[in-house]
Amino acid sequence: MGVSPYRSSFVPDTRARAAVEDFDAVEGRTVRVAGRVMTLRRHGGSAFAHLLDETGQIQVLFRRDELADRYALLADLDLGDWLGVEGRLMRTRTGEVTVSATGFQFLAKALRPLPDKFHGLTDVDLRYRQRHLDLIVNPQVRRTFVIRSKMIAETRRFLDDRGFLEVETPALHLHAGGAAARPFKTHHNALDLDLNLRIALELHLKRLIVGGLGRVYEIGRVFRNEGLSARHNPEFTMLELYQAYADYHDMMALVEELLLHLARQLTGGTGVVYQGTPIDFTPPWPRVLMVDALREATGIDWLQLEGREAAVEAARAAGLAVEDSLTRAQVLDRLTEAFIEPKLVQPTFLVGHPVEVSPLAQEDPERPGLTLRFEPFIAGREVGNAFTELNDPRVQRQRFEAQARRLRQGDADAQSVDEDFLRALETGMPPTGGLGLGMDRLAMLFTDAPGIRDVILFPLQRPRGGP
């Protein structure tokens, strides 16, 4: 027919939401709108369609007497097609704001049908695999990712206003450090060098504190070679920040202020309702000592247990099924997850983690064997990690060497000795407070999402066959 269904350009001057909300001020004006055809009804010499753009839907009226020969092109219009329309804004007899088309252009033809409008995209697995369809037919999904974007933007504004400098650090690391996690490994051909995708942002950011940048942060992707669950995706987004001349008490105050700020900006209040439970971020949040909480819940006095075997036996005596192969750190993680975390529904700081699971944190001078560390918990879920940073290079080397022994003994989550970081630490790092927050888990809270895959646009999925 000599009409290209794939145009190279069309510039709309009006968005759907603005046309509807501002109709009284712009009624009768000629506008240009564009979007995807979501509904289509033909009635003799006229047709109605709804176009969906990034702000919402608007109705379009096509009349044969207005469009003349071009009206015949509507016979080839399908749901899912992208259309550009020029016309006058009006209301129909039913009161719906409508663009009465004086002209239109095909912008892109949809060769595959959209999901049935009555049943939607209900296959959860397909929603994650084909997020483009999910975004088209589920307005709540679009809202989720708009809120996520605003949350990250507000986090940046909050930190920028407090003098933090946003930086970027490498994603390829010679040593996977900064967290207890198994890395993804890769190889650089030109240098013939084995490398790891970063499991944390920490060690490079602390080098910047050594270099004299007093407040730094990064919001970046990290990669951990671990399983999939409602809380875990191998690729996720972290915020890490470091502040010279601060300690973990300052980091607690910063977390309280940040979460309250995000709530006010995103919800207009001081909290959220998550999965039916009201959550209030108003400070101060309770501080709960980890070993005390464990003793209260299970009777286990962790600091009195000597060796891995004793930890395994104590966990089993508390009713927890654990494997003989678990390390002490892994046993403690299982105990915490089973007996402590579910009780931390309202925002709470779990503090004072043992040294053996905190290789980068300063030891508490008033509680030998424990560290100046905390994890914030909300809705029974850990959302971050923070501590007064260990800045003694001698102790840090001892901690790294202990981790390296565990790594050689088969603990894939243990860290190796990072000589480059130790060299930087030997140059001198001032007292520093550090904080990491999982942005995906925060997004779950602010969007009331039950699982992490609901707030990641393209979560990792096992491949499956089919077109």
Side-chain angles (χ1 to χ4, degrees), residues 315-352:
R316 288 173 176 167
L320 192 63
V322 295
E323 306 93 302
D324 289 330
S325 59
L326 294 186
T327 65
R328 273 178 61 91
Q330 291 169 332
V331 172
L332 181 58
D333 184 62
R334 297 279 186 89
L335 287 166
T336 303
E337 185 175 341
F339 296 107
I340 300 176
E341 294 181 9
K343 300 177 182 179
L344 307 180
V345 177
Q346 293 302 317
T348 303
F349 294 121
L350 190 65
V351 304

Side-chain angles (χ1 to χ4, degrees), residues 232-394:
H232 298 94
N233 191 69
E235 178 182 2
F236 59 99
T237 302
M238 284 285 293
L239 159 69
E240 289 204 31
L241 63 87
Y242 294 86
Q243 179 178 340
Y245 314 113
D247 62 15
Y248 80 141
H249 293 292
D250 298 305
M251 295 299 103
M252 289 184 200
L254 192 66
V255 171
E256 291 173 334
E257 292 171 15
L258 172 60
L259 269 292
L260 187 61
H261 171 81
L262 291 177
R264 285 172 171 162
Q265 296 301 314
L266 298 175
T267 74
T270 61
V272 297
V273 176
Y274 183 70
Q275 300 295 292
T277 300
I279 304 292
D280 188 359
F281 297 125
T282 303
W285 299 4
R287 277 72 166 156
V288 175
L289 190 65
M290 186 180 198
V291 291
D292 286 352
L294 183 61
R295 185 185 302 109
E296 181 179 332
T298 66
I300 295 173
D301 189 341
W302 183 260
L303 295 180
Q304 297 303 312
L305 297 178
E306 295 185 4
R308 182 185 63 81
E309 293 81 4
V312 170
E313 289 177 7
R316 288 173 176 167
L320 192 63
V322 295
E323 306 93 302
D324 289 330
S325 59
L326 294 186
T327 65
R328 273 178 61 91
Q330 291 169 332
V331 172
L332 181 58
D333 184 62
R334 297 279 186 89
L335 287 166
T336 303
E337 185 175 341
F339 296 107
I340 300 176
E341 294 181 9
K343 300 177 182 179
L344 307 180
V345 177
Q346 293 302 317
T348 303
F349 294 121
L350 190 65
V351 304
H353 298 56
V355 170
E356 62 198 289
V357 295
S358 313
L360 295 158
Q362 278 199 27
E363 188 169 8
D364 187 339
E366 297 180 3
R367 299 189 183 99
L370 304 182
T371 58
L372 302 174
R373 175 186 172 188
F374 72 86
E375 290 176 313
F377 279 83
I378 304 170
R381 190 175 285 141
E382 176 231 327
V383 297
N385 188 26
F387 30 86
T388 302
E389 303 295 333
L390 178 58
N391 62 347
D392 184 336
R394 300 164 302 171

Side-chain angles (χ1 to χ4, degrees), residues 52-214:
L52 174 69
D53 67 14
E54 64 268 30
T55 67
Q57 290 193 143
I58 190 166
Q59 181 169 262
V60 177
L61 168 62
F62 303 94
R63 292 192 179 98
R64 180 184 288 123
D65 56 2
E66 179 77 50
L67 297 168
D69 292 344
R70 288 193 63 80
Y71 186 82
L73 292 174
L74 293 177
D76 291 308
L77 184 64
D78 295 305
L79 297 184
D81 289 354
W82 287 87
L83 211 61
V85 177
E86 184 170 339
R88 294 180 301 276
L89 273 175
M90 54 168 279
R91 283 191 191 273
T92 62
R93 283 178 294 178
T94 61
E96 184 169 357
V97 174
T98 301
V99 178
S100 180
T102 56
F104 68 90
Q105 300 176 27
F106 281 88
L107 304 182
K109 202 82 177 70
L111 301 183
R112 291 178 179 266
L114 297 180
D116 182 272
K117 69 176 181 178
F118 294 107
H119 300 98
L121 192 61
T122 56
D123 183 331
V124 174
D125 183 68
L126 186 62
R127 287 179 52 211
Y128 300 141
R129 292 181 188 279
Q130 300 189 33
R131 184 67 87 183
H132 55 287
L133 294 180
D134 198 19
L135 291 167
I136 292 169
V137 302
N138 291 324
Q140 178 58 41
V141 174
R142 293 196 297 275
R143 179 177 176 273
T144 289
F145 289 102
V146 169
I147 292 174
R148 178 192 169 108
S149 179
K150 289 181 179 178
M151 183 196 77
I152 292 176
E154 282 298 330
T155 299
R156 282 193 166 97
R157 187 162 71 88
F158 175 90
L159 294 174
D160 292 344
D161 288 348
R162 284 157 180 75
F164 283 85
L165 179 69
E166 184 174 12
V167 298
E168 295 178 307
T169 61
L172 291 173
H173 290 183
L174 188 60
H175 298 279
R182 184 177 304 186
F184 287 96
K185 297 183 180 297
T186 187
H187 185 80
H188 188 277
N189 292 331
L191 295 179
D192 191 22
L193 189 64
D194 289 330
L195 295 168
N196 303 284
L197 288 175
R198 64 187 180 189
I199 59 174
L201 313 175
E202 180 166 349
L203 299 186
H204 282 86
L205 290 175
K206 288 202 283 196
R207 295 187 209 188
L208 301 181
I209 297 293
V210 172
L213 299 180

Side-chain angles (χ1 to χ4, degrees), residues 392-406:
D392 184 336
R394 300 164 302 171
V395 176
Q396 186 64 81
R397 179 176 292 279
Q398 294 169 3
R399 301 263 190 95
F400 275 161
E401 288 173 348
Q403 288 277 309
R405 285 193 295 272
R406 286 171 47 188

